[in-house]
Every structure is written in structure tokens, then in C-alpha cells.
Amino acid sequence: MFLKVKTIETIMQQFAPNKLKEDYDTVGLMVGDKENVVTKILIALDCTMSVIDEAKDKGCNFILTHHPLLFLKPKTITTDTLVGKKIIKLIKNNTNVYSSHTNLDSARGGLNDIATEILGFNKYKIIENSKNDDSGEGRAGIGRLVILNEYIKLSTLCENVKRAYNTKFIRYVGNDNDLIKKIAIINGSGEDFFDESIKLGADCIITGDTKYHGVCDLLEKNVALIDPGHFATEWNAFKIFGEKFKNKLHDDGYENEVIISQHTYDPYKIK
């Protein structure tokens, strides 16, 4: 049975309907032909030039990313811009790109759920319900709130986060002996959800991409923070989603190889 681009679109809509995306976001098929037959599929966090080359080298004509290639739609497509160079190269290589971003963050079983479960938590609730979830059950939204049965020291939680997200470096706010019982977890950039997390009684927030002034406010409000970085909170979760996606394809009778990118890495270096 031949797998087509439009078939993957249908499958991804089952995982994370486009309607669940945030209003500012761009998701779905970024570049491609819906009638193209898919060979191999590459899973990557971003559609970088090295990922495009990797797809070609590995015989993949479909790239599934979390971050959208066309987050901001270009006015022109030329080699004068990085996005233009990527699009032209993708077309020349006959490579399709599909991105599932905030809709996959929000969806049940999506990246917020996976990121929370990576940390060892299986009971949680949504921090901010999606206004576009028409299920009537409040099953989609950004952020997850965990309420522990027992308090945990902030220092212990920091070590757990480092180990679970497989990162050697974190930033944190608070005293090592602070006792934590309610934890807000937002994959990627979660600073926009600080206020809602605090309203729900969070003692600690785990997210990436935090900024100085927002963190200073948390400190004054006696709310702890653990920031393992944008990359760690999303790539670990997206790789697990890639396995879910592969299993779904195989369950549906498609034997296409699904490859986890070896050219997806945190751009930050640490000395």
C-alpha cells in the first residue's frame, strides 16, 4: 500500500487537529504535493538546512517537524533569505515538509502530556484549556499541572529534571530546600503561562526560554522555576511522538521507514 502526503495529513489530524493551534501559529503542510508518494520519513524538531540535506542523504522525501518552517509567511521566495533558500532546496529535492506545532502541544497525548510523563508524572490537568477544543470534555490545552502526594525538595526536583530530560545544564530559581507540591509543566516557551500557573497554586514551574524580568517576578512571588531549555523540553518529547507516529503508520499497514534526525541538536553550547 502506497503512503501519500495527503494520507499523512489525515493521520496527523487524528493526532493533533489543526484547529487546536494557537491563533498566531502556522501548522500543516508547509511545502509539498499532497499526491506525492512518500518514501522514508525524517522526524526533526526544526527544518534546518542540515536536516534538509540529511533527508536527501537518507532517501527521505518527507520531513515531519515540530517547529513550522513558515511560522512567518514570506512575501517572496528567493535565495536572498534563509527561508527562501530552504524552500527552493526542498522543492528541488522533491521533499515535503509538514509541521505540527502548538496544536500538537495542546492535543491529548501530545507534547505537553509526553513532556510531563517523561518527568514521571501520570496524573495531571490542563493549565489553560484550548478555546478551539470542541470535544466538550476539555481534553486539549497548553501546560500541565501536577499535584504530588508528598512534598519534594526543589534540589531533588532539579536533579530529576536533569536526568529525565537528559540535559547536563538547567537554570533554576528558588532555594534548594524549598518544598514543592504543585508543579506546572509547559514544554518549549512557557512564560506566557506564568500567571495562570500561579493562579492554580503552582509552587514550581518547569519550562524553557525564560527571561530575566519574568523570573525576577517569580522569585518575589516565592514561586520556584526550573528551566532546562526549549530544546530539552521539546526534542525529547517529539522523539517519543515520532515513535507513536511510526507505530500508527505500521498499524495502518504502511511499512515506510521513520527515521529520527541525527542533525537535530541544541544550538546553545555550554562552557
Side-chain angles (χ1 to χ4, degrees):
M1 193 158 50
F2 292 109
L3 178 64
K4 290 189 174 182
V5 170
K6 64 182 181 183
T7 313
I8 295 181
E9 283 190 295
T10 300
I11 291 170
M12 288 304 300
Q13 286 301 302
Q14 295 170 11
F15 278 117
N18 287 353
K19 67 183 178 183
L20 293 181
K21 75 178 183 66
E22 297 297 300
D23 292 339
Y24 60 81
D25 203 8
T26 303
V27 301
L29 188 63
M30 302 278 117
V31 176
D33 181 345
K34 294 185 179 186
E35 296 298 329
N36 272 4
V37 173
V38 177
T39 55
K40 299 177 185 177
I41 300 159
L42 186 66
I43 304 291
L45 194 61
D46 301 276
C47 185
T48 62
M49 292 295 278
S50 60
V51 164
I52 294 171
D53 289 336
E54 181 184 14
K56 184 178 180 181
D57 292 342
K58 293 179 177 176
C60 303
N61 72 342
F62 192 99
I63 303 172
L64 176 60
T65 72
H66 182 47
H67 296 140
L69 173 63
L70 299 177
F71 186 73
L72 299 175
K73 294 182 179 179
K75 294 181 180 179
T76 60
I77 300 173
T78 72
T79 55
D80 293 332
T81 67
L82 179 58
V83 170
K85 288 177 182 177
K86 290 179 182 180
I87 293 171
I88 291 170
K89 193 167 192 176
L90 287 163
I91 293 172
K92 285 182 177 179
N93 291 351
N94 193 31
T95 304
N96 306 273
V97 177
Y98 186 100
S99 302
S100 193
H101 191 214
T102 53
N103 51 326
L104 186 59
D105 289 334
S106 184
R108 187 177 187 178
L111 295 201
N112 270 281
D113 284 349
I114 295 171
T116 303
E117 290 164 7
I118 287 173
L119 293 173
F121 306 121
N122 294 310
K123 292 182 180 180
Y124 43 80
K125 66 178 184 178
I126 295 169
I127 291 175
E128 185 169 289
N129 288 314
S130 171
K131 59 182 177 294
N132 298 318
D133 178 16
D134 56 10
S135 69
E137 300 177 17
R139 296 184 300 175
I142 301 297
R144 300 295 182 262
L145 184 73
V146 173
I147 302 175
L148 303 178
N149 293 326
E150 298 180 355
Y151 285 98
I152 185 173
K153 284 186 178 182
L154 178 60
S155 59
T156 302
L157 185 56
C158 285
E159 290 303 317
N160 291 348
V161 170
K162 286 170 67 176
R163 181 171 58 253
Y165 282 155
N166 192 29
T167 181
K168 296 180 180 179
F169 173 80
I170 61 167
R171 299 185 297 173
Y172 74 102
V173 169
N175 297 313
D176 285 356
N177 289 325
D178 285 348
L179 296 177
I180 308 299
K181 191 159 189 180
K182 288 187 178 181
I183 306 168
I185 302 166
I186 309 107
N187 67 282
S189 300
E191 196 159 321
D192 289 343
F193 301 93
F194 279 3
D195 288 343
E196 190 62 30
S197 298
I198 293 169
K199 286 179 186 176
L200 292 173
D203 304 310
C204 179
I205 300 171
I206 302 174
T207 191
D209 280 353
T210 56
K211 301 180 183 67
Y212 176 83
H213 294 291
V215 168
C216 284
D217 290 346
L218 286 184
L219 186 61
E220 291 198 81
K221 293 176 182 178
N222 296 315
V223 177
L225 169 83
I226 302 175
D227 183 346
H230 194 123
F231 181 83
T233 64
E234 295 206 317
W235 181 227
N236 291 293
F238 197 57
K239 285 188 291 185
I240 291 173
F241 174 76
E243 291 298 319
K244 288 187 176 184
F245 172 76
K246 179 176 71 174
N247 292 336
K248 171 63 174 171
L249 286 185
H250 290 177
D251 288 346
D252 288 351
Y254 301 103
E255 296 300 327
N256 300 71
E257 187 176 357
V258 177
I259 300 170
I260 302 297
S261 171
Q262 298 298 311
H263 289 263
T264 291
Y265 51 83
D266 193 337
Y268 288 103
K269 293 183 178 179
I270 302 164
K271 285 192 175 181

